[in-house]
Amino acid sequence: MMKFTSAKAWALPVLSGIFIGTSYIPFPPWAALFGFVPLWMFWQAQTQLKSVILGGVVSAFVFTLIGFNWMTYLLHEFAHLPWALAVVGMIIYALIAHLYVPFAGMIWFLIVKKYSCSKSVSLGLLTLITILCEAYSLTLFDWNFGYSWFGFGIPFYHLAEIVGFSGLSAITLAYNLPLYLAWQTRHETKGKILFGAVISSFLLFNITGLALKSRLPQPDAEFNVLMVQGNIGNSEKMAAEMGDGYGQAILNRYLSLTSNALDAHKNEKIDFALWPETAFPTFLGENLVSPNTYPAQLSQFLKNHSLPLVTGAYSVDMRVKLLTNSLFLLNEMGQIVPPHYSKTILLAFGEYIPFEDVLSQLRQWFPQIGHFARGQGATDLFNLDGLKMAPQICYEGLFAYFSRDLANLGAQVIVNVTNDSWYGAWQQPYQHFYMTLARGIEFRRPVLRVTNTGISSVVLASGDILQRSPVYETWTDVYHVPYVKNPSPTFYQEWFYLLPILLWISFFALLIFAIKQGVRLKKSIK
């Protein structure tokens, strides 16, 4: 047994942290299939709960520092903390962001200690508990181990139309079990056979992914969309929101970029333009009278160019008298096509304070945090001359259930508008980019994603990603997007809860078996 104080033993949780952290986008998923193996080796050798928990904390701390160090930039840019305090905040975040790892180790250890089950049952429980804890972990940024396969174009990701990216994450974590056993028996024939079986099965998954892509129905329609990335700095946006005179400059930039792009593509029919989250620098609303001329300028511009537009803007929920982060469709006459959409899944500590409805004093303590009304959910689509668009704003693209609800409404294409300017140019824009476009694979519909600072692009139902925008530059491009007029629901869309149910059934079945093993062992001792 490894001792709690053994430096060599503690290198194992650190190694797991490095393996996992360097398998996150923008890194390739080189160690995703075995990232937890060193940690599991450490856990298997421990006799005290304290060492199991601390080992999990160490691994989670290391991989969070590597995979999510963009949080430092966010704290500096969004919370206006000095860099030294932002680094401290990053360290605190790394300690608490992925507590599902030590929590999984704790649950496993308590079960195994109580029921004294066999090693094979113990490892099975460890695998299932890790998968379930990862799937139900509480985190602001809903990352999972499936996205990296998509990020590097490994065909395995096409299985998301069957199990979703959360399912791909579960499969990825499950691979740690045979690779753990293969490592433990690496000097034996069975270890080599097991390793070969792992490689063969993963190749088979990738062949299956290519087959799934090849059987997709051919698109029977197409539209042309002009996407505009304004690259408006946070200081300018905040000044415009405070009424400090930047609004006109921001609007002028978007109008100018759009106009120049229309001139450059004057021989093409542009079906509509797409602007990012809160690109329009003031309020819009079907019955909302603005005190300035910006809505009139926008309306006249669209009318002059006979150009429909989808744009992010602020609005007001008159029922509760609160701001909304909204998305609007305007027709070629510059008129708002009701109903507009307001963001439903708000960002905690950015757009609302958790539990402020219960403890109203929180709002007095943290008045600087945004206070937005929630939208009505995935209840309506935008309809532009028969094109059914599913509206979602930024963070909402991370949640498969939300896109599923939109797909169930008959959406032909998903439209996501985002502002990632708070996060820097290193990791988060790339992570968020693939996480958002992943919904297109799960439900086999094109996803249009336009952002303030990049990355903007389109993914087709096939998983092919079209031209990507640069990061932190003004940019426009016209995309020719083929789509299916009547898309069939994917297996994942129809059987959304099947895999979670199977995982829970497997866990409880194995737990019952472990309990019976423990009872038999106690009887044999007596």
Side-chain angles (χ1 to χ4, degrees):
M1 291 284 184
M2 296 182 216
K3 296 181 180 179
F4 178 71
T5 56
S6 169
K8 184 178 179 180
W10 282 96
L12 291 172
V14 173
L15 188 60
S16 265
I18 294 171
F19 282 170
I20 297 167
T22 56
S23 295
Y24 283 172
I25 293 170
F27 303 107
W30 71 280
L33 299 179
F34 57 85
F36 277 89
V37 169
L39 176 63
W40 288 1
M41 291 169 59
F42 175 83
W43 279 349
Q44 288 285 337
Q46 302 311 309
T47 58
Q48 296 181 358
L49 178 60
K50 179 172 66 172
S51 60
V52 171
I53 292 174
L54 288 179
V57 170
V58 168
S59 285
F61 177 78
V62 172
F63 77 65
T64 305
L65 281 181
I66 297 172
F68 300 94
N69 57 67
W70 50 263
M71 182 62 67
T72 310
Y73 187 94
L74 173 65
L75 291 171
H76 174 72
E77 185 77 9
F78 184 75
H80 306 292
L81 295 179
W83 280 111
L85 288 179
V87 170
V88 172
M90 176 68 235
I91 292 172
I92 295 172
Y93 177 76
L95 286 169
I96 64 175
H98 296 99
L99 289 177
Y100 79 86
V101 178
F103 187 67
M106 180 187 71
I107 295 174
W108 163 79
F109 184 84
L110 292 175
I111 291 174
V112 171
K113 185 175 182 180
K114 181 174 179 62
Y115 298 112
S116 302
C117 50
S118 65
K119 185 175 181 181
S120 59
V121 173
S122 170
L123 287 171
L125 284 169
L126 179 55
T127 305
L128 285 169
I129 290 169
T130 302
I131 290 171
L132 289 169
C133 286
E134 188 270 341
Y136 293 95
S137 61
L138 298 175
T139 176
L140 291 177
F141 200 65
D142 197 26
W143 175 265
N144 68 51
F145 291 91
Y147 293 119
S148 290
W149 305 114
F150 182 34
F152 280 81
I154 298 172
F156 178 48
Y157 77 82
H158 285 290
L159 273 73
E161 73 164 81
I162 298 175
V163 296
F165 277 84
S166 59
L168 294 183
S169 184
I171 296 171
T172 302
L173 288 169
Y175 263 108
N176 282 262
L177 175 57
L179 287 173
Y180 172 93
L181 295 172
W183 176 258
Q184 294 291 78
T185 57
R186 62 191 179 279
H187 300 303
E188 303 173 31
T189 301
K190 64 181 180 181
K192 295 178 176 61
I193 294 174
L194 188 55
F195 182 74
V198 167
I199 298 300
S200 299
S201 66
F202 189 67
L203 287 174
L204 183 59
F205 273 136
N206 281 275
I207 293 170
T208 303
L210 291 174
L212 288 172
K213 179 180 179 180
S214 68
R215 53 162 280 282
L216 291 174
Q218 290 298 312
D220 53 9
E222 183 178 85
F223 63 85
N224 298 330
V225 56
L226 166 61
M227 294 170 60
V228 182
Q229 180 175 297
N231 192 32
I232 305 297
N234 289 315
S235 58
E236 295 172 89
K237 287 183 71 68
M238 292 179 66
E241 291 164 11
M242 298 299 292
D244 291 341
Y246 281 88
Q248 187 64 60
I250 292 172
L251 180 59
N252 287 346
R253 181 180 298 185
Y254 274 101
L255 295 179
S256 175
L257 286 169
T258 304
S259 179
N260 292 339
L262 290 172
D263 289 341
H265 296 272
K266 59 186 177 182
N267 294 326
E268 301 178 60
K269 179 182 182 298
I270 307 299
D271 292 291
F272 66 100
L274 182 59
W275 291 1
E277 178 183 8
T278 62
F280 187 71
T282 188
F283 297 98
L284 281 177
E286 291 87 338
N287 301 306
L288 192 64
V289 178
S290 176
N292 56 51
T293 62
Y294 301 160
Q297 293 179 52
L298 177 63
S299 179
Q300 189 61 49
F301 176 87
L302 298 177
K303 187 175 181 179
N304 290 344
H305 292 85
S306 297
L307 178 69
L309 171 70
V310 176
T311 182
Y314 292 112
S315 194
V316 177
D317 187 329
M318 301 306 295
R319 299 168 303 163
V320 292
K321 303 296 190 296
L322 289 176
L323 295 179
T324 60
N325 183 352
S326 299
L327 190 59
F328 290 85
L329 169 64
L330 295 90
N331 62 24
E332 68 277 5
M333 297 302 293
Q335 301 164 330
I336 294 173
V337 179
H340 71 269
Y341 170 72
S342 293
K343 189 176 181 183
T344 303
I345 306 176
L346 301 179
L347 182 63
F349 304 108
E351 294 169 317
Y352 79 103
I353 303 173
F355 308 112
E356 65 179 307
D357 293 339
V358 178
L359 188 59
S360 58
Q361 196 171 10
L362 288 172
R363 176 56 54 186
Q364 299 174 14
W365 294 344
F366 304 103
Q368 73 278 13
I369 294 177
H371 194 191
F372 287 78
R374 294 182 185 275
Q376 299 301 303
T379 57
D380 292 292
L381 302 175
F382 287 168
N383 192 319
L384 178 63
D385 298 328
L387 177 61
K388 299 173 183 177
M389 295 184 280
Q392 57 180 218
I393 299 175
C394 193
Y395 188 59
E396 294 174 327
L398 276 58
F399 299 92
Y401 73 85
F402 189 81
S403 293
R404 175 181 181 254
D405 290 344
L406 292 167
N408 285 338
L409 292 175
Q412 297 163 327
V413 60
I414 297 171
V415 175
N416 181 282
V417 297
T418 292
N419 176 26
D420 270 348
S421 60
W422 305 104
Y423 300 98
W426 156 232
Q427 289 177 314
Q428 194 273 352
Y430 299 90
Q431 293 174 356
H432 197 184
F433 173 72
Y434 286 107
M435 292 172 77
T436 301
L437 299 193
R439 309 287 82 83
I441 316 303
E442 291 173 331
F443 306 108
R444 292 302 186 185
R445 286 154 171 81
V447 177
L448 315 181
R449 183 183 193 253
V450 66
T451 73
N452 176 32
T453 53
I455 307 167
S456 305
S457 187
V458 174
V459 67
L460 303 180
S462 63
D464 296 326
I465 299 175
L466 305 184
Q467 180 67 34
R468 307 171 201 199
S469 76
V471 179
Y472 286 94
E473 295 181 23
T474 56
W475 163 94
T476 62
D477 204 352
V478 172
Y479 290 87
H480 311 286
V481 184
Y483 68 99
V484 175
K485 289 182 179 178
N486 296 297
S488 300
T490 62
F491 184 90
Y492 181 60
Q493 184 177 337
E494 292 189 304
W495 298 91
F496 190 74
Y497 296 105
L498 178 60
L499 185 60
I501 290 171
L502 293 176
L503 287 171
W504 280 110
I505 290 173
S506 300
F507 168 69
F508 283 115
L510 199 55
L511 178 60
I512 291 170
F513 187 78
I515 293 171
K516 288 182 177 180
Q517 270 194 344
V519 171
R520 286 196 299 267
L521 179 62
K522 288 180 180 179
K523 286 182 178 180
S524 66
I525 293 174
K526 291 179 180 179

